[in-house]
Amino acid sequence: MGYVLLFLFALITVEIIWSWRTEKRVYDIKDTFTNLAIFAGYQLSKYLFAGYTLAFLGFFYQYRVHTFEKSLLIFVITFFSVDFFYYWYHRASHVIKLLWAFHLVHHTSQQMNLTVAYRLNWFSFILSPFFYVPLALIGLPPIFIVGAYALNLLYQFFLHTEAVGKLGFLEKIIDTPSSHRVHHGSNDLYIDKNFGGVLIIWDRMFGTYQPEEEKVKYGTTKGFAGHNPIVLVFHGFVDLVRNKMYYKG
């Protein structure tokens, strides 16, 4: 993980240099430090909840209908199965108020850069395993499910950038920076679009795909939400209790 983090921070450095040299201004100092603070909390929560996630899926795995031998093929099947279920988990997170309370923090930045990728709720691991229970009941190994989910999130790190334009025919198959910029847009055209993690074909199949056509306005429909990481992480829950939930879409 140390080497992975070093690689990710190296890419962030490269993007900062690109932003400065091209005068794209995709980085804001306060926003960036907010993202890094939330990321630090998320990393801690990931370690705290890792055992819980495996134990939770392991409980259902004991009632599996079939036992699959651990192999590369089974991992590949698990990877794409997790991606399919992630699509529905992500889509539900924009529709169900409780799930949106967890997911809201990820959409509060009005910038788009690599540090936004890990602007994630510290408590998301409490609910996310519920969506992968069917895979454990089928018999896919919990360790494969968790590993595939981690790789899914790692892939999405590379989607949070304006440094990459459209990628031709790949736009029809996989989630790309262009597709994910749309997902983060609060434009009327872009609301509730492009929920895919790795593959964009799920959005095309289920009617939620939207190509990038107009300049993206990032953030929620409510606008600026502040820079305090603790306030942002708990913002959705406070609004839920006050019954003042608002949506990016």
Side-chain angles (χ1 to χ4, degrees):
M1 277 301 298
Y3 289 113
V4 171
L5 289 176
L6 284 175
F7 176 66
L8 298 184
F9 278 108
L11 287 181
I12 290 171
T13 302
V14 170
E15 188 183 46
I16 290 173
I17 295 172
W18 166 83
S19 174
W20 171 67
R21 295 193 63 179
T22 59
E23 297 185 351
K24 294 291 185 181
R25 298 190 177 120
V26 300
Y27 276 88
D28 172 83
I29 294 177
K30 289 184 178 180
D31 190 76
T32 300
F33 277 103
T34 297
N35 295 340
L36 294 177
I38 293 175
F39 172 66
Y42 178 78
Q43 285 295 105
L44 176 61
S45 72
K46 183 168 65 175
Y47 287 109
L48 292 176
F49 287 110
Y52 156 77
T53 303
L54 282 171
F56 183 86
L57 293 174
F59 171 80
F60 291 96
Y61 182 69
Q62 64 183 327
Y63 300 108
R64 61 193 178 276
V65 298
H66 184 77
T67 300
F68 293 98
E69 295 294 330
K70 293 184 176 69
S71 66
L72 178 59
L73 175 61
I74 295 303
F75 182 77
V76 171
I77 292 172
T78 303
F79 180 83
F80 289 111
S81 299
V82 165
D83 192 57
F84 175 74
F85 278 82
Y86 174 83
Y87 167 83
W88 289 107
Y89 167 49
H90 195 183
R91 186 169 177 175
S93 295
H94 282 249
V95 177
I96 300 172
K97 289 185 176 182
L98 175 61
L99 296 182
W100 177 246
F102 284 84
H103 189 54
L104 169 61
V105 62
H106 188 61
H107 285 275
T108 52
S109 177
Q110 295 182 309
Q111 308 289 133
M112 175 56 80
N113 57 64
L114 293 173
T115 67
V116 175
Y118 286 108
R119 194 177 178 116
L120 300 170
N121 197 287
W122 301 338
F123 308 101
S124 59
F125 291 104
I126 295 175
L127 287 182
S128 58
F130 283 87
F131 283 80
Y132 303 101
V133 166
L135 299 182
L137 290 174
I138 289 171
L140 296 176
I143 191 66
F144 279 13
I145 298 172
V146 172
Y149 182 64
L151 288 176
N152 195 297
L153 293 182
L154 178 61
Y155 174 81
Q156 291 183 56
F157 169 82
F158 303 99
L159 303 179
H160 295 78
T161 183
E162 290 192 346
V164 179
K166 292 191 176 184
L167 299 178
F169 75 93
L170 290 177
E171 299 288 341
K172 298 181 179 180
I173 305 171
I174 61 174
D175 199 3
T176 65
S178 177
S179 292
H180 204 66
R181 287 193 290 269
V182 167
H183 177 70
H184 276 261
S186 58
N187 315 46
D188 290 340
L189 180 65
Y190 295 156
I191 288 178
D192 288 345
K193 300 297 181 182
N194 301 356
F195 297 109
V198 175
L199 299 178
I200 203 67
I201 59 174
W202 314 126
D203 289 281
R204 289 180 172 274
M205 289 173 61
F206 300 110
T208 53
Y209 177 71
Q210 172 61 48
E212 186 178 21
E213 296 178 357
E214 60 187 42
K215 183 176 177 57
V216 183
K217 179 181 179 182
Y218 301 111
T220 67
T221 54
K222 189 176 181 179
F224 182 64
H227 291 301
N228 187 314
I230 296 177
V231 170
L232 290 172
V233 167
F234 288 94
H235 190 30
F237 304 118
V238 172
D239 281 352
L240 180 63
V241 172
R242 293 177 176 175
N243 197 28
K244 294 182 179 180
M245 291 302 293
Y246 62 91
Y247 294 90
K248 191 287 304 176

